Amino acid sequence: MEETISLKDIYQTIRKRLLIIVFITIVAVAISGVVSYFVLTPVYQSSTQILVNQEKSNKNGPDYNQVQTNVQMVNTYSVIIKSPAILSKVINNLNLNTTVEGLTNKLTINSEQESQVFNVTVQDPDPAMAVKIANNIADTFKDEIPSIMNINNVSVLSKAELKENPSPVKPNPMLNMAIALVVGLMTGVGLAFLLEYLDNTLKTEQDIENFLELPVLGTIPKMTANEEKDPSYRRKAV
């Protein structure tokens, strides 16, 4: 016989296992909060902008072809700025205790579509160091690109600055706790239905009816300890 689950069955299952669901959810949120606030290291972010501008020309106004060439060169510059030719010099300039690969993992290059400007973003546990690295990368790239590409059309549009009260970009405790809340609820509900599925004991008249597929004709009331000792109650029962 094919079994079906109604909304009423789902509601009753959740209601019966509500304490388990709530407990798992609270534990998940608490663990996420503790890890986010006390275990994970805060990471700060700093950015600088680099402009790929057109070379000086005797023409009045911008040269459209030159602008398009500069836009296309942004992708090439994004690769060069992550190369050992640039990052190794940055490491030496700042005496960083890291490798080129390690510094690359902290570095993100973003550029707007059809734009001559690209952003150099650095993430580091030390906000002041993130600012220093970002600015040094931009300055080193500007100084080295003429010898690498035999072209001089790069300028630093804006430098990274250290804010008075910098805020970490990660971890995001509230987001982590919100995710833990959803995961905890899903886990609790899933466990509730699993326990309900594995529980094959008969506890109510409805369970007996469903198991035997027969109606209940009568029930025997449960007697308390005082009622069992009371002779008058036993006479009434007889």
Side-chain angles (χ1 to χ4, degrees), residues 90 94 96 103 122 124 129-138:
V90 174
L94 299 178
L96 300 178
L103 184 56
V122 176
D124 193 86
M129 182 56 67
V131 171
K132 290 181 180 179
I133 294 175
N135 287 330
N136 198 270
I137 288 176

Side-chain angles (χ1 to χ4, degrees), residues 68-216:
Q68 290 301 310
T69 301
N70 290 335
V71 170
Q72 296 173 3
M73 288 298 294
V74 167
N75 293 330
T76 302
Y77 290 160
S78 299
V79 175
I80 294 175
I81 204 170
K82 285 186 173 183
S83 67
I86 303 298
L87 297 186
S88 60
K89 292 182 179 298
V90 174
I91 293 174
N92 292 332
N93 292 339
L94 299 178
N95 294 321
L96 300 178
N97 185 21
T98 185
T99 61
V100 171
E101 183 179 358
L103 184 56
T104 302
N105 294 333
K106 298 181 178 181
L107 179 62
T108 303
I109 308 297
N110 295 319
S111 61
E112 297 292 338
Q113 188 174 7
E114 300 299 324
S115 173
Q116 295 177 252
V117 177
F118 62 96
N119 299 317
V120 178
T121 303
V122 176
Q123 294 185 348
D124 193 86
D126 184 355
M129 182 56 67
V131 171
K132 290 181 180 179
I133 294 175
N135 287 330
N136 198 270
I137 288 176
D139 293 337
T140 303
F141 176 73
K142 178 185 175 182
D143 295 339
E144 296 296 326
I145 198 64
S147 60
I148 295 175
M149 296 288 294
N150 194 25
I151 196 170
N152 187 16
N153 65 339
V154 173
S155 59
V156 178
L157 187 61
S158 66
K159 287 184 172 293
E161 296 181 355
L162 180 61
K163 298 180 180 179
E164 185 176 352
N165 295 311
S167 300
V169 294
K170 59 183 181 181
N172 188 336
M174 298 307 297
L175 177 60
N176 293 344
M177 292 172 69
I179 295 174
L181 176 65
V182 175
V183 174
L185 283 174
M186 295 176 61
T187 303
V189 172
L191 181 60
F193 280 98
L194 177 62
L195 294 175
E196 188 68 17
Y197 175 78
L198 297 177
D199 186 5
N200 56 4
T201 58
L202 304 177
K203 299 183 178 66
T204 63
E205 296 90 342
Q206 186 65 37
D207 293 339
I208 297 175
E209 287 186 358
N210 295 335
F211 181 76
L212 298 177
E213 298 182 4
L214 295 172
V216 176

Side-chain angles (χ1 to χ4, degrees), residues 223 231-238:
M223 297 174 59
S232 62
Y233 182 85
R234 290 202 296 269
R235 287 195 296 269
K236 293 177 182 178
V238 174

Side-chain angles (χ1 to χ4, degrees), residues 7-37:
L7 291 177
K8 183 179 180 180
D9 295 332
I10 295 175
Y11 169 75
Q12 290 177 345
T13 300
I14 293 177
R15 182 179 179 182
K16 183 165 60 174
R17 310 285 183 180
L18 185 60
L19 290 178
I20 294 178
I21 298 174
V22 172
F23 176 75
I24 292 177
T25 303
I26 293 176
V27 169
V29 173
I31 292 176
S32 176
V34 170
V35 171
S36 298
Y37 281 107

